[in-house]
PDB file of all heavy atoms in Angstrom:
ATOM      1  N   ILE A   1     -22.217  14.013   3.901  1.00  0.00           N
ATOM      2  CA  ILE A   1     -21.020  13.183   3.837  1.00  0.00           C
ATOM      3  C   ILE A   1     -21.074  12.105   4.925  1.00  0.00           C
ATOM      4  O   ILE A   1     -21.449  12.382   6.071  1.00  0.00           O
ATOM      5  CB  ILE A   1     -19.755  14.064   3.988  1.00  0.00           C
ATOM      6  CG1 ILE A   1     -18.493  13.254   3.723  1.00  0.00           C
ATOM      7  CG2 ILE A   1     -19.700  14.729   5.367  1.00  0.00           C
ATOM      8  CD1 ILE A   1     -17.228  14.100   3.614  1.00  0.00           C
ATOM      9  N   PRO A   2     -20.739  10.845   4.606  1.00  0.00           N
ATOM     10  CA  PRO A   2     -20.662   9.808   5.643  1.00  0.00           C
ATOM     11  C   PRO A   2     -19.606  10.162   6.687  1.00  0.00           C
ATOM     12  O   PRO A   2     -18.585  10.779   6.377  1.00  0.00           O
ATOM     13  CB  PRO A   2     -20.264   8.552   4.861  1.00  0.00           C
ATOM     14  CG  PRO A   2     -20.708   8.816   3.460  1.00  0.00           C
ATOM     15  CD  PRO A   2     -20.530  10.295   3.257  1.00  0.00           C
ATOM     16  N   VAL A   3     -19.856   9.746   7.921  1.00  0.00           N
ATOM     17  CA  VAL A   3     -18.978  10.139   9.027  1.00  0.00           C
ATOM     18  C   VAL A   3     -17.562   9.620   8.815  1.00  0.00           C
ATOM     19  O   VAL A   3     -16.579  10.351   8.979  1.00  0.00           O
ATOM     20  CB  VAL A   3     -19.534   9.619  10.368  1.00  0.00           C
ATOM     21  CG1 VAL A   3     -18.777  10.247  11.528  1.00  0.00           C
ATOM     22  CG2 VAL A   3     -21.015   9.897  10.483  1.00  0.00           C
ATOM     23  N   GLU A   4     -17.449   8.358   8.440  1.00  0.00           N
ATOM     24  CA  GLU A   4     -16.119   7.779   8.270  1.00  0.00           C
ATOM     25  C   GLU A   4     -15.363   8.440   7.129  1.00  0.00           C
ATOM     26  O   GLU A   4     -14.148   8.650   7.212  1.00  0.00           O
ATOM     27  CB  GLU A   4     -16.215   6.275   8.018  1.00  0.00           C
ATOM     28  CG  GLU A   4     -14.848   5.602   7.942  1.00  0.00           C
ATOM     29  CD  GLU A   4     -14.941   4.087   7.810  1.00  0.00           C
ATOM     30  OE1 GLU A   4     -16.074   3.568   7.698  1.00  0.00           O
ATOM     31  OE2 GLU A   4     -13.881   3.431   7.798  1.00  0.00           O
ATOM     32  N   LEU A   5     -16.052   8.797   6.067  1.00  0.00           N
ATOM     33  CA  LEU A   5     -15.397   9.464   4.946  1.00  0.00           C
ATOM     34  C   LEU A   5     -14.848  10.820   5.363  1.00  0.00           C
ATOM     35  O   LEU A   5     -13.742  11.214   4.962  1.00  0.00           O
ATOM     36  CB  LEU A   5     -16.373   9.624   3.783  1.00  0.00           C
ATOM     37  CG  LEU A   5     -15.816  10.295   2.520  1.00  0.00           C
ATOM     38  CD1 LEU A   5     -14.630   9.513   1.978  1.00  0.00           C
ATOM     39  CD2 LEU A   5     -16.901  10.418   1.458  1.00  0.00           C
ATOM     40  N   LEU A   6     -15.588  11.556   6.186  1.00  0.00           N
ATOM     41  CA  LEU A   6     -15.101  12.847   6.671  1.00  0.00           C
ATOM     42  C   LEU A   6     -13.864  12.656   7.546  1.00  0.00           C
ATOM     43  O   LEU A   6     -12.899  13.420   7.442  1.00  0.00           O
ATOM     44  CB  LEU A   6     -16.202  13.557   7.458  1.00  0.00           C
ATOM     45  CG  LEU A   6     -15.864  14.965   7.957  1.00  0.00           C
ATOM     46  CD1 LEU A   6     -15.523  15.892   6.794  1.00  0.00           C
ATOM     47  CD2 LEU A   6     -17.017  15.540   8.773  1.00  0.00           C
ATOM     48  N   ALA A   7     -13.869  11.629   8.405  1.00  0.00           N
ATOM     49  CA  ALA A   7     -12.693  11.332   9.224  1.00  0.00           C
ATOM     50  C   ALA A   7     -11.502  10.973   8.338  1.00  0.00           C
ATOM     51  O   ALA A   7     -10.368  11.394   8.596  1.00  0.00           O
ATOM     52  CB  ALA A   7     -13.000  10.200  10.197  1.00  0.00           C
ATOM     53  N   GLN A   8     -11.755  10.212   7.271  1.00  0.00           N
ATOM     54  CA  GLN A   8     -10.678   9.861   6.339  1.00  0.00           C
ATOM     55  C   GLN A   8     -10.078  11.098   5.676  1.00  0.00           C
ATOM     56  O   GLN A   8      -8.851  11.196   5.523  1.00  0.00           O
ATOM     57  CB  GLN A   8     -11.204   8.916   5.263  1.00  0.00           C
ATOM     58  CG  GLN A   8     -11.412   7.490   5.718  1.00  0.00           C
ATOM     59  CD  GLN A   8     -11.949   6.614   4.604  1.00  0.00           C
ATOM     60  OE1 GLN A   8     -12.331   7.109   3.542  1.00  0.00           O
ATOM     61  NE2 GLN A   8     -11.999   5.314   4.837  1.00  0.00           N
ATOM     62  N   ARG A   9     -10.936  12.021   5.271  1.00  0.00           N
ATOM     63  CA  ARG A   9     -10.438  13.232   4.596  1.00  0.00           C
ATOM     64  C   ARG A   9      -9.498  14.009   5.517  1.00  0.00           C
ATOM     65  O   ARG A   9      -8.435  14.478   5.086  1.00  0.00           O
ATOM     66  CB  ARG A   9     -11.626  14.107   4.204  1.00  0.00           C
ATOM     67  CG  ARG A   9     -12.520  13.498   3.132  1.00  0.00           C
ATOM     68  CD  ARG A   9     -11.946  13.715   1.731  1.00  0.00           C
ATOM     69  NE  ARG A   9     -12.647  12.912   0.731  1.00  0.00           N
ATOM     70  CZ  ARG A   9     -13.802  13.245   0.171  1.00  0.00           C
ATOM     71  NH1 ARG A   9     -14.402  14.374   0.512  1.00  0.00           N
ATOM     72  NH2 ARG A   9     -14.354  12.464  -0.736  1.00  0.00           N
ATOM     73  N   LEU A  10      -9.879  14.176   6.781  1.00  0.00           N
ATOM     74  CA  LEU A  10      -9.021  14.897   7.709  1.00  0.00           C
ATOM     75  C   LEU A  10      -7.746  14.124   7.994  1.00  0.00           C
ATOM     76  O   LEU A  10      -6.663  14.717   8.118  1.00  0.00           O
ATOM     77  CB  LEU A  10      -9.765  15.193   9.015  1.00  0.00           C
ATOM     78  CG  LEU A  10     -10.296  16.629   9.138  1.00  0.00           C
ATOM     79  CD1 LEU A  10     -11.488  16.800   8.206  1.00  0.00           C
ATOM     80  CD2 LEU A  10     -10.707  16.944  10.566  1.00  0.00           C
ATOM     81  N   CYS A  11      -7.859  12.810   8.097  1.00  0.00           N
ATOM     82  CA  CYS A  11      -6.675  12.003   8.410  1.00  0.00           C
ATOM     83  C   CYS A  11      -5.691  11.987   7.237  1.00  0.00           C
ATOM     84  O   CYS A  11      -4.477  11.927   7.457  1.00  0.00           O
ATOM     85  CB  CYS A  11      -7.090  10.584   8.773  1.00  0.00           C
ATOM     86  SG  CYS A  11      -7.829  10.467  10.420  1.00  0.00           S
ATOM     87  N   ASP A  12      -6.194  12.052   6.009  1.00  0.00           N
ATOM     88  CA  ASP A  12      -5.290  12.161   4.860  1.00  0.00           C
ATOM     89  C   ASP A  12      -4.462  13.442   4.954  1.00  0.00           C
ATOM     90  O   ASP A  12      -3.259  13.451   4.665  1.00  0.00           O
ATOM     91  CB  ASP A  12      -6.085  12.150   3.558  1.00  0.00           C
ATOM     92  CG  ASP A  12      -6.663  10.780   3.236  1.00  0.00           C
ATOM     93  OD1 ASP A  12      -6.206   9.798   3.849  1.00  0.00           O
ATOM     94  OD2 ASP A  12      -7.576  10.704   2.398  1.00  0.00           O
ATOM     95  N   LEU A  13      -5.121  14.535   5.355  1.00  0.00           N
ATOM     96  CA  LEU A  13      -4.408  15.804   5.513  1.00  0.00           C
ATOM     97  C   LEU A  13      -3.388  15.705   6.639  1.00  0.00           C
ATOM     98  O   LEU A  13      -2.229  16.114   6.478  1.00  0.00           O
ATOM     99  CB  LEU A  13      -5.412  16.926   5.801  1.00  0.00           C
ATOM    100  CG  LEU A  13      -4.813  18.299   6.101  1.00  0.00           C
ATOM    101  CD1 LEU A  13      -4.166  18.896   4.857  1.00  0.00           C
ATOM    102  CD2 LEU A  13      -5.877  19.245   6.650  1.00  0.00           C
ATOM    103  N   LYS A  14      -3.805  15.152   7.765  1.00  0.00           N
ATOM    104  CA  LYS A  14      -2.900  15.071   8.922  1.00  0.00           C
ATOM    105  C   LYS A  14      -1.718  14.148   8.646  1.00  0.00           C
ATOM    106  O   LYS A  14      -0.592  14.427   9.086  1.00  0.00           O
ATOM    107  CB  LYS A  14      -3.674  14.608  10.167  1.00  0.00           C
ATOM    108  CG  LYS A  14      -4.661  15.653  10.655  1.00  0.00           C
ATOM    109  CD  LYS A  14      -5.085  15.407  12.086  1.00  0.00           C
ATOM    110  CE  LYS A  14      -6.085  14.305  12.214  1.00  0.00           C
ATOM    111  NZ  LYS A  14      -6.573  14.199  13.618  1.00  0.00           N
ATOM    112  N   GLN A  15      -1.954  13.076   7.911  1.00  0.00           N
ATOM    113  CA  GLN A  15      -0.858  12.162   7.608  1.00  0.00           C
ATOM    114  C   GLN A  15       0.185  12.848   6.723  1.00  0.00           C
ATOM    115  O   GLN A  15       1.384  12.635   6.883  1.00  0.00           O
ATOM    116  CB  GLN A  15      -1.403  10.903   6.917  1.00  0.00           C
ATOM    117  CG  GLN A  15      -0.380   9.788   6.755  1.00  0.00           C
ATOM    118  CD  GLN A  15       0.486   9.949   5.519  1.00  0.00           C
ATOM    119  OE1 GLN A  15       0.067  10.569   4.537  1.00  0.00           O
ATOM    120  NE2 GLN A  15       1.697   9.417   5.568  1.00  0.00           N
ATOM    121  N   GLY A  16      -0.273  13.684   5.798  1.00  0.00           N
ATOM    122  CA  GLY A  16       0.667  14.398   4.938  1.00  0.00           C
ATOM    123  C   GLY A  16       1.616  15.289   5.722  1.00  0.00           C
ATOM    124  O   GLY A  16       2.770  15.478   5.324  1.00  0.00           O
ATOM    125  N   TYR A  17       1.145  15.823   6.845  1.00  0.00           N
ATOM    126  CA  TYR A  17       1.979  16.696   7.662  1.00  0.00           C
ATOM    127  C   TYR A  17       2.994  15.920   8.497  1.00  0.00           C
ATOM    128  O   TYR A  17       3.767  16.513   9.230  1.00  0.00           O
ATOM    129  CB  TYR A  17       1.088  17.558   8.574  1.00  0.00           C
ATOM    130  CG  TYR A  17       0.583  18.805   7.901  1.00  0.00           C
ATOM    131  CD1 TYR A  17      -0.371  18.733   6.889  1.00  0.00           C
ATOM    132  CD2 TYR A  17       1.068  20.058   8.256  1.00  0.00           C
ATOM    133  CE1 TYR A  17      -0.833  19.871   6.253  1.00  0.00           C
ATOM    134  CE2 TYR A  17       0.613  21.205   7.624  1.00  0.00           C
ATOM    135  CZ  TYR A  17      -0.339  21.090   6.622  1.00  0.00           C
ATOM    136  OH  TYR A  17      -0.787  22.225   5.999  1.00  0.00           O
ATOM    137  N   THR A  18       2.983  14.595   8.420  1.00  0.00           N
ATOM    138  CA  THR A  18       4.003  13.794   9.104  1.00  0.00           C
ATOM    139  C   THR A  18       5.032  13.248   8.130  1.00  0.00           C
ATOM    140  O   THR A  18       5.990  12.610   8.550  1.00  0.00           O
ATOM    141  CB  THR A  18       3.352  12.598   9.832  1.00  0.00           C
ATOM    142  OG1 THR A  18       2.880  11.640   8.850  1.00  0.00           O
ATOM    143  CG2 THR A  18       2.197  13.038  10.690  1.00  0.00           C
ATOM    144  N   GLN A  19       4.854  13.485   6.839  1.00  0.00           N
ATOM    145  CA  GLN A  19       5.668  12.812   5.825  1.00  0.00           C
ATOM    146  C   GLN A  19       6.576  13.756   5.048  1.00  0.00           C
ATOM    147  O   GLN A  19       7.580  13.317   4.497  1.00  0.00           O
ATOM    148  CB  GLN A  19       4.741  12.073   4.855  1.00  0.00           C
ATOM    149  CG  GLN A  19       5.449  11.111   3.920  1.00  0.00           C
ATOM    150  CD  GLN A  19       4.479  10.256   3.130  1.00  0.00           C
ATOM    151  OE1 GLN A  19       3.270  10.425   3.239  1.00  0.00           O
ATOM    152  NE2 GLN A  19       5.001   9.340   2.331  1.00  0.00           N
ATOM    153  N   TYR A  20       6.242  15.039   5.009  1.00  0.00           N
ATOM    154  CA  TYR A  20       6.991  15.976   4.170  1.00  0.00           C
ATOM    155  C   TYR A  20       7.791  16.939   5.036  1.00  0.00           C
ATOM    156  O   TYR A  20       7.330  17.391   6.093  1.00  0.00           O
ATOM    157  CB  TYR A  20       6.038  16.746   3.253  1.00  0.00           C
ATOM    158  CG  TYR A  20       5.243  15.842   2.339  1.00  0.00           C
ATOM    159  CD1 TYR A  20       3.900  15.588   2.576  1.00  0.00           C
ATOM    160  CD2 TYR A  20       5.856  15.222   1.256  1.00  0.00           C
ATOM    161  CE1 TYR A  20       3.177  14.742   1.748  1.00  0.00           C
ATOM    162  CE2 TYR A  20       5.145  14.375   0.417  1.00  0.00           C
ATOM    163  CZ  TYR A  20       3.808  14.136   0.670  1.00  0.00           C
ATOM    164  OH  TYR A  20       3.103  13.293  -0.138  1.00  0.00           O
ATOM    165  N   GLY A  21       8.985  17.275   4.555  1.00  0.00           N
ATOM    166  CA  GLY A  21       9.860  18.163   5.289  1.00  0.00           C
ATOM    167  C   GLY A  21       9.313  19.579   5.387  1.00  0.00           C
ATOM    168  O   GLY A  21       8.573  20.036   4.519  1.00  0.00           O
ATOM    169  N   GLY A  22       9.709  20.282   6.442  1.00  0.00           N
ATOM    170  CA  GLY A  22       9.278  21.655   6.621  1.00  0.00           C
ATOM    171  C   GLY A  22       7.906  21.800   7.246  1.00  0.00           C
ATOM    172  O   GLY A  22       7.418  22.921   7.397  1.00  0.00           O
ATOM    173  N   LEU A  23       7.260  20.702   7.587  1.00  0.00           N
ATOM    174  CA  LEU A  23       5.933  20.738   8.208  1.00  0.00           C
ATOM    175  C   LEU A  23       6.002  20.113   9.589  1.00  0.00           C
ATOM    176  O   LEU A  23       6.905  19.342   9.900  1.00  0.00           O
ATOM    177  CB  LEU A  23       4.921  19.959   7.354  1.00  0.00           C
ATOM    178  CG  LEU A  23       4.796  20.359   5.880  1.00  0.00           C
ATOM    179  CD1 LEU A  23       3.855  19.414   5.151  1.00  0.00           C
ATOM    180  CD2 LEU A  23       4.298  21.787   5.762  1.00  0.00           C
ATOM    181  N   ARG A  24       5.037  20.453  10.426  1.00  0.00           N
ATOM    182  CA  ARG A  24       4.941  19.800  11.728  1.00  0.00           C
ATOM    183  C   ARG A  24       3.556  19.183  11.856  1.00  0.00           C
ATOM    184  O   ARG A  24       2.599  19.660  11.261  1.00  0.00           O
ATOM    185  CB  ARG A  24       5.183  20.785  12.880  1.00  0.00           C
ATOM    186  CG  ARG A  24       4.087  21.822  13.063  1.00  0.00           C
ATOM    187  CD  ARG A  24       4.148  22.413  14.471  1.00  0.00           C
ATOM    188  NE  ARG A  24       3.157  23.472  14.659  1.00  0.00           N
ATOM    189  CZ  ARG A  24       1.882  23.279  14.925  1.00  0.00           C
ATOM    190  NH1 ARG A  24       1.404  22.045  15.000  1.00  0.00           N
ATOM    191  NH2 ARG A  24       1.062  24.304  15.098  1.00  0.00           N
ATOM    192  N   PRO A  25       3.404  18.124  12.644  1.00  0.00           N
ATOM    193  CA  PRO A  25       2.079  17.512  12.806  1.00  0.00           C
ATOM    194  C   PRO A  25       1.098  18.477  13.478  1.00  0.00           C
ATOM    195  O   PRO A  25       1.496  19.370  14.227  1.00  0.00           O
ATOM    196  CB  PRO A  25       2.350  16.299  13.713  1.00  0.00           C
ATOM    197  CG  PRO A  25       3.822  16.056  13.611  1.00  0.00           C
ATOM    198  CD  PRO A  25       4.451  17.397  13.371  1.00  0.00           C
ATOM    199  N   PHE A  26      -0.187  18.294  13.204  1.00  0.00           N
ATOM    200  CA  PHE A  26      -1.213  19.049  13.908  1.00  0.00           C
ATOM    201  C   PHE A  26      -1.262  18.561  15.360  1.00  0.00           C
ATOM    202  O   PHE A  26      -1.374  17.361  15.606  1.00  0.00           O
ATOM    203  CB  PHE A  26      -2.585  18.839  13.252  1.00  0.00           C
ATOM    204  CG  PHE A  26      -2.734  19.523  11.931  1.00  0.00           C
ATOM    205  CD1 PHE A  26      -2.513  18.834  10.744  1.00  0.00           C
ATOM    206  CD2 PHE A  26      -3.101  20.856  11.856  1.00  0.00           C
ATOM    207  CE1 PHE A  26      -2.657  19.457   9.518  1.00  0.00           C
ATOM    208  CE2 PHE A  26      -3.253  21.497  10.633  1.00  0.00           C
ATOM    209  CZ  PHE A  26      -3.021  20.794   9.463  1.00  0.00           C
ATOM    210  N   GLY A  27      -1.195  19.496  16.287  1.00  0.00           N
ATOM    211  CA  GLY A  27      -1.201  19.125  17.700  1.00  0.00           C
ATOM    212  C   GLY A  27      -2.608  19.022  18.260  1.00  0.00           C
ATOM    213  O   GLY A  27      -2.913  19.657  19.277  1.00  0.00           O
ATOM    214  N   VAL A  28      -3.459  18.235  17.607  1.00  0.00           N
ATOM    215  CA  VAL A  28      -4.848  18.153  18.046  1.00  0.00           C
ATOM    216  C   VAL A  28      -5.420  16.782  17.684  1.00  0.00           C
ATOM    217  O   VAL A  28      -5.085  16.199  16.653  1.00  0.00           O
ATOM    218  CB  VAL A  28      -5.698  19.277  17.393  1.00  0.00           C
ATOM    219  CG1 VAL A  28      -5.697  19.148  15.885  1.00  0.00           C
ATOM    220  CG2 VAL A  28      -7.109  19.287  17.916  1.00  0.00           C
ATOM    221  N   SER A  29      -6.246  16.251  18.579  1.00  0.00           N
ATOM    222  CA  SER A  29      -7.035  15.049  18.313  1.00  0.00           C
ATOM    223  C   SER A  29      -8.504  15.440  18.238  1.00  0.00           C
ATOM    224  O   SER A  29      -8.931  16.397  18.883  1.00  0.00           O
ATOM    225  CB  SER A  29      -6.841  14.002  19.418  1.00  0.00           C
ATOM    226  OG  SER A  29      -5.660  13.279  19.236  1.00  0.00           O
ATOM    227  N   LEU A  30      -9.272  14.685  17.476  1.00  0.00           N
ATOM    228  CA  LEU A  30     -10.691  14.980  17.309  1.00  0.00           C
ATOM    229  C   LEU A  30     -11.546  13.752  17.593  1.00  0.00           C
ATOM    230  O   LEU A  30     -11.141  12.628  17.287  1.00  0.00           O
ATOM    231  CB  LEU A  30     -10.990  15.463  15.885  1.00  0.00           C
ATOM    232  CG  LEU A  30     -10.428  16.817  15.448  1.00  0.00           C
ATOM    233  CD1 LEU A  30      -9.074  16.644  14.784  1.00  0.00           C
ATOM    234  CD2 LEU A  30     -11.378  17.507  14.465  1.00  0.00           C
ATOM    235  N   LEU A  31     -12.713  13.986  18.160  1.00  0.00           N
ATOM    236  CA  LEU A  31     -13.764  12.981  18.234  1.00  0.00           C
ATOM    237  C   LEU A  31     -14.862  13.408  17.264  1.00  0.00           C
ATOM    238  O   LEU A  31     -15.311  14.553  17.290  1.00  0.00           O
ATOM    239  CB  LEU A  31     -14.342  12.874  19.653  1.00  0.00           C
ATOM    240  CG  LEU A  31     -13.429  12.343  20.753  1.00  0.00           C
ATOM    241  CD1 LEU A  31     -14.215  12.191  22.053  1.00  0.00           C
ATOM    242  CD2 LEU A  31     -12.799  11.020  20.363  1.00  0.00           C
ATOM    243  N   TYR A  32     -15.293  12.488  16.406  1.00  0.00           N
ATOM    244  CA  TYR A  32     -16.353  12.765  15.441  1.00  0.00           C
ATOM    245  C   TYR A  32     -17.596  11.985  15.869  1.00  0.00           C
ATOM    246  O   TYR A  32     -17.555  10.750  15.943  1.00  0.00           O
ATOM    247  CB  TYR A  32     -15.971  12.322  14.036  1.00  0.00           C
ATOM    248  CG  TYR A  32     -14.600  12.746  13.572  1.00  0.00           C
ATOM    249  CD1 TYR A  32     -13.465  12.043  13.951  1.00  0.00           C
ATOM    250  CD2 TYR A  32     -14.436  13.830  12.714  1.00  0.00           C
ATOM    251  CE1 TYR A  32     -12.206  12.410  13.514  1.00  0.00           C
ATOM    252  CE2 TYR A  32     -13.182  14.201  12.265  1.00  0.00           C
ATOM    253  CZ  TYR A  32     -12.066  13.487  12.673  1.00  0.00           C
ATOM    254  OH  TYR A  32     -10.820  13.848  12.231  1.00  0.00           O
TER     255      TYR A  32
END
């Protein structure tokens, strides 16, 4: 998998946790 695509996949998941009720953001940052 290309590096940027993998970062995008994780960021899509993390963004979803900021938009929907009943969820909290992931309390972690990553360097790829």
Side-chain angles (χ1 to χ4, degrees):
I1 188 170
V3 191
E4 185 175 4
L5 181 59
L6 184 59
Q8 284 179 350
R9 293 279 169 81
L10 259 73
C11 286
D12 288 344
L13 175 69
K14 291 198 283 186
Q15 189 276 334
Y17 275 70
T18 70
Q19 192 171 3
Y20 301 105
L23 306 175
R24 69 160 177 81
F26 288 96
V28 61
S29 279
L30 293 92
L31 293 185
Y32 312 81

